[in-house]
Amino acid sequence: MHELEKHIRDIPDFPKPGIVFKDITPLLKDPGAFRRTVEILEEQIRPLDPDLLLGIESRGFLFGGALSYKMDRGLIIARKPGKLPYDTDSVSYDLEYGSATLELHKDAISKGQRVLIVDDLLATGGTAAACAKLVRDQQGIVAGHAFVVELKFLDGRKKLEPDPVSSILAY
Ligand code: AMP
């Protein structure tokens, strides 16, 4: 068992029946576990040499922010519609039921910048793939993806191919 696994809490049937929600708040609350998480992710993504980290609303902001500070790289944020104050690009993608949209400020990425996309958890990969599209639409390069948790059985990596994917805990 991984040293960090005990800090992830399973919540059955949240937010709806049949889903086991991986709750990362115990990990955040434990300073050693949070620091270790950021250190491990940083070791994994350093070779990908990102210029910017992109945090996905909202738990991606927590890890993206910490990595940005540690790696001395800028942070950009993909947000739910209507939250960003300046002009935005947006992408819509399918969820299990219905669809979702994420927005990024139009001037977030300069041409050729390497962007590493960060979220707490990789499930089907739809959210991260949508962010990869936003990066490419702004002529950035997707340096890779980093997640704390990966739900392997949903095969989200496939949707992100051929971009590199890092995760710490796989279920
Ligand atoms: P997906 O687009 O299917 O890869 O879903 C990823 C997004 O949904 C991430 O922002 C996750 O935080 C959230 N998510 C999906 N499934 C779970 C789960 N079982 N536990 C916690 N968060 C989840």
Side-chain angles (χ1 to χ4, degrees):
M1 179 167 150
H2 194 281
E3 58 180 304
L4 294 174
E5 207 169 318
K6 62 176 182 289
H7 299 286
I8 307 285
R9 174 165 58 188
D10 281 0
I11 311 284
D13 300 318
F14 183 89
K16 53 189 176 209
I19 305 280
V20 179
F21 192 86
K22 296 287 182 187
D23 177 18
I24 50 124
T25 62
L27 182 146
L28 295 171
K29 196 170 87 169
D30 185 295
F34 188 23
R35 189 179 333 104
R36 192 72 198 114
T37 301
V38 175
E39 283 169 1
I40 294 171
L41 286 177
E42 196 237 349
E43 281 163 24
Q44 291 185 2
I45 67 179
R46 182 177 284 285
L48 302 173
D49 193 25
D51 299 304
L52 293 171
L53 300 174
L54 185 157
I56 305 178
E57 183 159 3
S58 57
R59 291 181 297 273
F61 295 172
L62 305 167
F63 299 101
L67 282 165
S68 159
Y69 180 85
K70 187 161 174 56
M71 298 178 78
D72 197 20
R73 294 292 185 269
L75 177 68
I76 59 175
I77 53 179
R79 297 212 62 181
K80 290 166 186 163
K83 299 283 187 184
L84 288 171
Y86 184 58
D87 296 344
T88 57
D89 289 322
S90 76
V91 63
S92 294
Y93 56 101
D94 291 331
L95 295 175
E96 197 179 347
Y97 302 100
S99 71
T101 301
L102 283 171
E103 296 183 341
L104 186 64
H105 272 154
K106 264 194 182 306
D107 61 353
I109 301 168
S110 302
K111 187 176 176 183
Q113 279 191 307
R114 296 176 59 77
V115 182
L116 194 297
I117 297 167
V118 184
D119 205 354
D120 66 327
L121 183 141
L122 173 62
T124 65
T127 308
C131 288
K133 181 174 187 311
L134 282 173
V135 170
R136 294 192 175 102
D137 284 351
Q138 291 194 4
Q139 303 197 53
I141 295 164
V142 178
H145 296 265
F147 306 93
V148 181
V149 178
E150 173 176 4
L151 302 182
K152 282 254 178 204
F153 56 92
L154 292 174
D155 222 7
R157 268 177 197 257
K158 197 141 213 155
K159 218 172 258 172
L160 306 179
E161 278 175 354
D163 301 324
V165 175
S166 294
S167 69
I168 304 180
L169 301 168
Y171 295 90

